[in-house]
Amino acid sequence: MDRNTPDPPNITVRAAPMDLLADFSSLTQLVDEALRTYQNTLALSRSALANSALVAPVLVKDDASPTVEERGYGLRLVLQWGVNQLAPAPPVFPLGVFRPLDDPTWRDPLWWRYTILRHRYLEPLHPDDFVGGGRFTETLLALTGISSADAFFDERNRAIQEVAEWLRRQLLDAVYSGKLQQLAIQEALAPLEKRPHASRLLAMAAIFDDVFPRGQLLELARREDIDRAEQVLDEVIAGRLLLTGDGGANLWLSPVLRAYLYARQPVGEMQRRHRLIAIRNEAEGRLLPAVRHYQRSGDDGRAARLLLPAAAILFQEIQPAVLIDLLQAFNLRRLETGERYAVSLLLSDLLHRTGKPEEALAACRQALQAAKTAEEQARAYRRIGKLYESRNQQHALRYYQQAIERFAPDAPELAETLKDRGWLYFLRQEWNRAEADLLRALDVVTTEARALQGAIYDAMANLYRKTDDPARAVRYAELALALREEDGDLLGIAKSHGNLGLLYRSAGDYAHAIAAYTEAMSTYARIGNQELVAVALLNIGAAFFLSGDVEEAVRRYRASLAISRALGLALLEIKVQYNLAEAYAALGQPAVASEHWQLGYSLCHQHAFDDQEQDFIELSTALALPLLPSQPAPASSVAPPEALDREAAIVLELAQRERRITAQRLIEALHVSRATATRRLSALVEQGYLRMEGKGRGVHYRLASEALTEPPGLIDAATGAEELAARVRQLAPALREQFGVNAIGVVSAPAHPAGLVRLAVRFETTPDLDDFFALERYLADRLQLPVDLAPESALDKQCSVRWL
């Protein structure tokens, strides 16, 4: 298809109401009711069918906000189509054409169902045609030869069911949408057959995309000598073939009608109209419409000369897809060589930035064919090399070499090419070649290219980190940081702090690493990038772990875990679960470590992260983690264990996060029935992952591993009570500030399960449930104990509280 011709729009079909598909009898009843009210447009518009996906293809004037009348007429058209499907052959006298009473198809049994619905509902017989004082039924019996009234009504009911079946098929897969749309277009445009001026005016409107100025259409109309153009336009608007807004200043033609009309106009005439509108848009400073109209007028050269100088600004102001569509719409054969090269190169850059490497490579090869100078060839080769980095590094190096050989010593892109090739050598661990390219890139980079200079500094820092030269690594990282601080580049500053943290950590300087990571995290938080905040917290935790402060590492890991879960960052969560398993093993809590191992391993399996899955297998072997019941031992000689299915992993994750879980909580989380939730929980109890506690309505479930580890400070152990009280007191300031807690105490109860800490709490103001459970999780996390929290008002009289 010619790119300069508007593409026919896709037919948008709303999802069918499930009750129409699930209950055929209801659909049949709706069809029956619609046929009975066929002559009443308002009544038809109130039908559920008129507000379903059935009418979407026929709303060709305005599918977004159709009028009541348009919905009614739309359903009428759908019913006409459905009844026509009952005819065994195309009728000689179709709807709208008088059907003589001596037409032989009246008495043909194959035509009975079509005849009954057509002449009872769609085109009712005229009373003058009634037989012997009868009405519709008696007359149709006489005309068709049907033997009895019972047979007639049976045939009518079967006909309605057959129409309902045709509509059901359309609801299911929209297979007849194209036919319905064509019928609707013909009906919408039929009134213009006797109004040539209105027909021409609407055809002119087809050259415009989306909303367009009323004045531009009227200017075209006057140039083509349409009499009373204003009045004709008002008539077209009154028929809703054109919609208007903004006090009548702007107009809109539906994409369906636009594509239909455009395809039926003489090419030369449409190109002339496009050129006139392009010239006006250019004069009024409307760049994008001017470019589109010049392209469709056949003047691609003028369109390119307008677009290329403004491309950099447009990329910042509009969606990349819009600019890509404009570039792909060029007919390259109509461009001069230099314009063809510039358009193809720009298109390649945009496609690369938007993650379409194959299309970018094809555009870049088009640019290479159009290149006339060595520098133009070099610029294309550099881009091809960049695109080949992820597919064939040897090819990428060869393309980079061809680019470097062709660049002049002072070419602006030479430094970037050397940086890219140097980084590729870095990835291949060819350190000497990487250093040579990066040093040369620093020599030739201009002082104005500050972002490129900072990227080269970063690459040098990473290179010297890998080659065990920490002093030079830190020096280059600090140079990059200083450069970005001078420019006020917040994101770049944060990334530089992150790089410094990595360098300090590699050198064993954990205090400075933590400080650098914390600076990065603060900046990420300031610019609102929560994903990078989570990454920084993970790095801070790793530095604390390496420094020996494992408890602080766990706190940072858990903060990172909360963000990664909230944002759905599966890969980051896997890394955090790995680090938590490692940290809890170091704290002497192997059961908790096993839980995190299982959750992380299940995520690897669920998302097909094979490399990370192997890391978890190696971690389990290295730490000799105690296995949860039914958890097979991963070993190099045995195939990796089967992970839990997705729902089971979610259940364990909830149990770990919330410390206890009930069937009701599972119903809310998984959107399953109570029976399914109970069955799922019971299965995990049988497999040994969960244990059930309580009776009757108090039944809840906890991770079984909590029973394997005797947590410190149990309330029924006299030796641990004071330690627990001391730990709770330490949390008092945070509890007051973050959660509005006035007082907290340890609860003693006659039937208190071992291993569970019960705490009572008083609030300044009563929190909502989310805040209450967040407090419970916070206490469990900080105390590293299973906690059952209750407001003071909810305690039994038998309970005693030691307020802290």
Side-chain angles (χ1 to χ4, degrees):
M1 181 177 291
D2 188 346
R3 293 290 304 182
N4 291 330
T5 301
D7 294 333
N10 292 326
I11 299 172
T12 302
V13 180
R14 290 180 299 235
M18 290 310 297
D19 57 341
L20 295 183
L21 292 174
D23 187 354
F24 183 71
S25 62
S26 296
L27 177 59
T28 303
Q29 183 178 351
L30 286 171
V31 172
D32 187 11
E33 293 171 355
L35 286 169
R36 291 176 187 276
T37 57
Y38 179 86
Q39 305 300 328
N40 188 328
T41 308
L42 179 60
L44 281 178
S45 71
R46 307 294 294 173
S47 168
L49 298 177
N51 293 276
S52 73
L54 279 172
V55 300
V58 299
L59 299 175
V60 296
K61 293 181 179 179
D62 179 11
D63 62 345
S65 54
T67 65
V68 168
E69 191 174 55
E70 284 166 359
R71 283 200 179 278
Y73 276 118
L75 179 54
R76 182 179 290 177
L77 193 62
V78 171
L79 291 172
Q80 289 177 13
W81 170 82
V83 171
N84 279 331
Q85 304 313 301
L86 306 186
V92 176
F93 305 100
L95 286 170
V97 177
F98 175 72
R99 185 182 183 188
L101 297 182
D102 59 355
D103 177 11
T105 60
W106 283 95
R107 304 186 70 83
D108 187 340
L110 295 176
W111 287 80
W112 281 351
R113 295 179 185 177
Y114 167 81
T115 297
I116 291 170
L117 296 189
R118 172 177 173 176
H119 293 290
R120 178 61 186 86
Y121 302 115
L122 274 58
E123 291 180 346
L125 292 170
H126 193 274
D128 291 345
D129 297 322
F130 287 168
V131 174
R135 290 184 59 78
F136 290 106
T137 302
E138 293 79 3
T139 303
L140 285 171
L141 282 171
L143 289 170
T144 59
I146 297 174
S147 60
S148 66
D150 288 343
F152 173 84
F153 288 117
D154 182 64
E155 201 69 22
R156 187 201 65 175
N157 292 339
R158 292 179 185 276
I160 292 172
Q161 290 174 358
E162 193 172 338
V163 171
E165 175 59 26
W166 280 99
L167 301 192
R168 190 186 70 84
R169 293 180 200 171
Q170 170 64 12
L171 280 168
L172 278 171
D173 52 24
V175 68
Y176 306 112
S177 293
K179 294 180 180 178
L180 288 168
Q181 189 176 84
Q182 287 300 308
L183 291 172
I185 291 172
Q186 291 166 13
E187 182 163 303
L189 298 178
L192 301 186
E193 292 178 1
K194 297 180 180 180
R195 295 159 59 193
H197 288 322
S199 181
R200 283 178 60 201
L201 188 70
L202 197 61
M204 293 176 194
I207 71 168
F208 296 100
D209 293 329
D210 203 45
V211 176
F212 59 93
R214 176 190 182 106
Q216 293 191 1
L217 179 59
L218 287 173
E219 180 180 343
L220 280 179
R222 294 187 189 101
R223 284 178 176 269
E224 297 192 18
D225 298 325
I226 291 183
D227 294 335
R228 302 177 294 107
E230 287 272 7
Q231 182 179 341
V232 173
L233 178 56
D234 289 340
E235 292 172 1
V236 172
I237 291 171
R240 282 181 55 85
L241 291 170
L242 283 174
L243 303 189
T244 185
D246 304 310
N250 292 312
L251 301 172
W252 180 82
L253 175 64
S254 79
V256 173
L257 294 177
R258 183 171 68 239
Y260 180 87
L261 293 165
Y262 196 101
R264 285 157 178 77
Q265 305 307 311
V267 173
E269 189 172 319
M270 295 303 276
Q271 286 185 334
R272 179 180 56 78
R273 292 168 178 168
H274 278 299
R275 181 165 184 79
L276 290 171
I277 297 303
I279 292 170
R280 175 160 178 172
N281 277 317
E282 182 182 0
E284 294 176 354
R286 296 190 182 99
L287 179 62
L288 295 182
V291 170
R292 290 194 192 97
H293 285 292
Y294 274 127
Q295 287 175 329
R296 292 174 184 171
S297 74
D299 193 350
D300 292 78
R302 182 59 188 160
R305 290 188 291 276
L306 275 180
L307 181 63
L308 290 172
I313 297 173
L314 288 174
F315 185 75
Q316 304 298 324
E317 295 179 351
I318 64 175
Q319 291 294 325
V322 176
L323 195 50
I324 288 171
D325 284 344
L326 279 175
L327 291 167
Q328 289 177 330
F330 277 104
N331 185 332
L332 297 181
R333 292 189 298 273
R334 292 202 289 249
L335 294 175
E336 294 180 2
T337 303
E339 294 166 346
R340 186 161 65 249
Y341 171 82
V343 166
S344 298
L345 202 68
L346 177 57
L347 177 60
S348 175
D349 287 345
L350 292 175
L351 290 168
H352 188 195
R353 291 187 198 180
T354 52
K356 297 177 181 177
E358 296 296 334
E359 295 177 54
L361 188 58
C364 207
R365 293 194 186 283
Q366 286 182 329
L368 188 60
Q369 292 174 4
K372 292 302 181 184
T373 66
E375 181 163 348
E376 286 180 346
Q377 291 175 344
R379 295 175 68 200
Y381 278 128
R382 182 183 77 77
R383 287 160 173 78
I384 295 175
K386 191 72 175 174
L387 289 164
Y388 264 98
E389 280 187 2
S390 58
R391 40 199 294 167
N392 189 317
Q393 292 184 351
Q394 289 290 353
H395 283 5
L397 289 172
R398 283 197 290 272
Y399 283 120
Y400 280 142
Q401 181 60 34
Q402 293 188 64
I404 291 168
E405 289 172 354
R406 287 166 172 77
F407 274 127
D410 58 348
E413 289 190 28
L414 176 59
E416 190 159 0
T417 310
L418 289 165
K419 184 266 294 179
D420 287 342
R421 190 175 71 170
W423 186 248
L424 184 54
Y425 279 134
F426 171 88
L427 295 175
R428 294 168 59 84
Q429 299 186 11
E430 298 182 39
W431 311 123
N432 291 335
R433 289 180 172 178
E435 183 181 36
D437 272 354
L438 293 172
L439 288 173
R440 186 180 167 194
L442 280 178
D443 285 341
V444 300
V445 68
T446 61
T447 55
E448 294 81 12
R450 296 174 67 81
L452 176 58
Q453 193 175 353
I456 298 171
Y457 285 149
D458 284 339
M460 295 295 292
N462 280 290
L463 173 66
Y464 290 126
R465 176 176 64 85
K466 283 290 189 180
T467 54
D468 296 324
D469 192 343
R472 280 208 283 184
V474 169
R475 180 163 63 86
Y476 278 109
E478 288 174 340
L479 285 171
L481 174 60
L483 194 68
R484 287 159 181 157
E485 285 178 332
E486 291 171 9
D487 293 342
D489 177 8
L490 286 180
L491 185 60
I493 291 168
K495 290 184 176 180
S496 286
H497 279 301
N499 289 340
L500 277 169
L502 181 62
L503 294 172
Y504 288 133
R505 194 175 85 183
S506 299
D509 187 351
Y510 301 120
H512 281 92
I514 291 167
Y517 285 140
T518 302
E519 285 282 350
M521 183 188 69
S522 299
T523 306
Y524 291 140
R526 199 182 322 148
I527 63 179
N529 192 320
Q530 287 299 301
E531 179 178 353
L532 292 178
V533 168
V535 172
L537 282 166
L538 178 62
N539 288 332
I540 293 170
F544 273 117
F545 181 84
L546 292 171
S547 71
D549 192 346
V550 182
E551 291 185 352
E552 188 60 33
V554 166
R555 281 193 280 275
R556 303 310 175 99
Y557 290 154
R558 295 190 74 86
S560 179
L561 181 63
I563 297 173
S564 61
R565 281 175 170 168
L567 299 180
L569 305 172
L571 183 57
L572 182 57
E573 182 178 346
I574 286 169
K575 293 178 181 179
V576 178
Q577 296 286 14
Y578 181 100
N579 286 14
L580 281 168
E582 184 180 47
Y584 277 116
L587 287 172
Q589 299 183 43
V592 182
S594 288
E595 291 169 17
H596 287 288
W597 184 93
Q598 177 63 58
L599 290 167
Y601 183 84
S602 296
L603 279 173
C604 292
H605 194 80
Q606 178 183 339
H607 294 281
F609 289 126
D610 297 336
D611 292 343
Q612 287 74 18
E613 186 174 324
Q614 185 59 37
D615 290 341
F616 271 83
I617 292 172
E618 293 172 1
L619 177 68
S620 178
T621 304
L623 299 180
L625 294 174
L627 300 177
L628 298 175
S630 300
Q631 178 183 316
S636 56
S637 59
V638 182
E642 287 298 320
L644 292 171
D645 63 50
R646 178 176 176 274
E647 286 192 357
I650 292 173
V651 175
L652 291 186
E653 182 182 329
L654 281 171
Q656 181 203 37
R657 187 168 66 242
E658 300 181 6
R659 298 292 170 175
R660 57 185 287 176
I661 190 170
T662 63
Q664 182 60 39
R665 181 70 182 92
L666 203 57
I667 291 168
E668 297 167 357
L670 297 181
H671 306 290
V672 296
S673 66
R674 180 170 293 278
T676 301
T678 304
R679 187 165 57 250
R680 170 65 74 180
L681 291 166
S682 299
L684 290 171
V685 170
E686 291 176 6
Q687 294 168 19
Y689 288 103
L690 298 177
R691 75 174 189 271
M692 186 174 72
E693 297 177 352
K695 294 182 179 180
R697 295 186 179 181
V699 168
H700 58 270
Y701 300 81
R702 296 182 185 277
L703 289 171
S705 57
E706 291 180 358
L708 305 178
T709 305
E710 190 70 13
L714 293 179
I715 63 171
D716 58 353
T719 56
E722 291 303 320
E723 179 186 350
L724 174 62
R727 289 160 67 184
V728 173
R729 286 192 188 97
Q730 290 177 353
L731 298 176
L735 295 176
R736 186 176 299 109
E737 180 179 344
Q738 296 182 36
F739 299 97
V741 173
N742 274 340
I744 191 167
V746 180
V747 179
S748 297
H752 187 69
L756 178 66
V757 174
R758 290 200 69 191
L759 298 175
V761 65
R762 293 176 186 157
F763 294 98
E764 292 179 4
T765 57
T766 303
D768 59 26
L769 283 177
D770 288 342
D771 290 339
F772 180 84
F773 287 122
L775 171 59
E776 186 178 59
R777 290 193 295 271
Y778 175 84
L779 288 166
D781 179 59
R782 292 304 171 128
L783 297 175
Q784 291 301 301
L785 295 169
V787 169
D788 183 17
L789 186 67
E792 181 184 12
S793 59
L795 295 176
D796 296 333
K797 294 180 180 179
Q798 298 175 337
C799 298
S800 61
V801 182
R802 179 187 174 190
W803 293 103
L804 306 176

